């Protein structure tokens, strides 16, 4: 189940001391979900990104978030 998978990932991040890092939650394969399922997940995880690599859905937003994160990190490191 979805919550169990998320909890497992969060536990692993904590074990490797990466839980304090910036996290971008991404749900892939949204093309396999019914609209109602996707909407329910979006309400439950409002900060998450929903993508379909197969259908090229949401990838631009993901790329932009990654660009922002790494660009901001670079600026902070050079100051």
């Amino acid at each position: 189940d979805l919550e169990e998978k998320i909890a497992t990932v969060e536990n692993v991040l904590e074990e490797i001391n990466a839980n304090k890092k910036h996290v971008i939650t991404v749900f892939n394969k949204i093309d396999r979900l019914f609209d109602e399922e996707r909407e329910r997940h979006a309400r439950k995880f409002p900060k998450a990104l929903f993508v379909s690599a197969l259908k090229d859905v949401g990838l631009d937003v993901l790329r932009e978030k990654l660009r922002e994160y790494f660009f901001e990190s670079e600026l902070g490191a050079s100051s």
Side-chain angles (χ1 to χ4, degrees):
D1 118 286
L2 183 61
E3 284 81 14
E4 191 175 307
K5 290 178 182 178
I6 290 171
T8 299
V9 169
E10 288 173 346
N11 288 335
V12 170
L13 291 174
E14 188 173 348
E15 286 175 15
I16 63 172
N17 294 318
N19 58 327
K20 303 290 188 227
K21 303 288 183 185
H22 182 77
V23 174
I24 300 173
T25 302
V26 180
F27 294 97
N28 190 22
K29 300 183 181 181
I30 63 164
D31 53 286
R32 294 184 175 184
L33 298 177
F34 292 111
D35 290 341
E36 299 82 27
E37 290 176 292
R38 190 170 40 251
E39 290 167 8
R40 188 177 71 245
H41 293 322
R43 282 192 304 274
K44 190 163 190 165
F45 306 99
K47 293 183 179 183
L49 301 179
F50 296 86
V51 304
S52 169
L54 180 67
K55 304 278 184 178
D56 194 25
V57 173
L59 296 178
D60 289 341
V61 175
L62 176 59
R63 285 185 196 102
E64 182 59 30
K65 289 286 184 189
L66 292 171
R67 204 174 353 265
E68 288 171 9
Y69 173 74
F70 286 109
F71 182 69
E72 289 173 10
S73 295
E74 230 176 66
L75 285 179
S78 64
S79 300

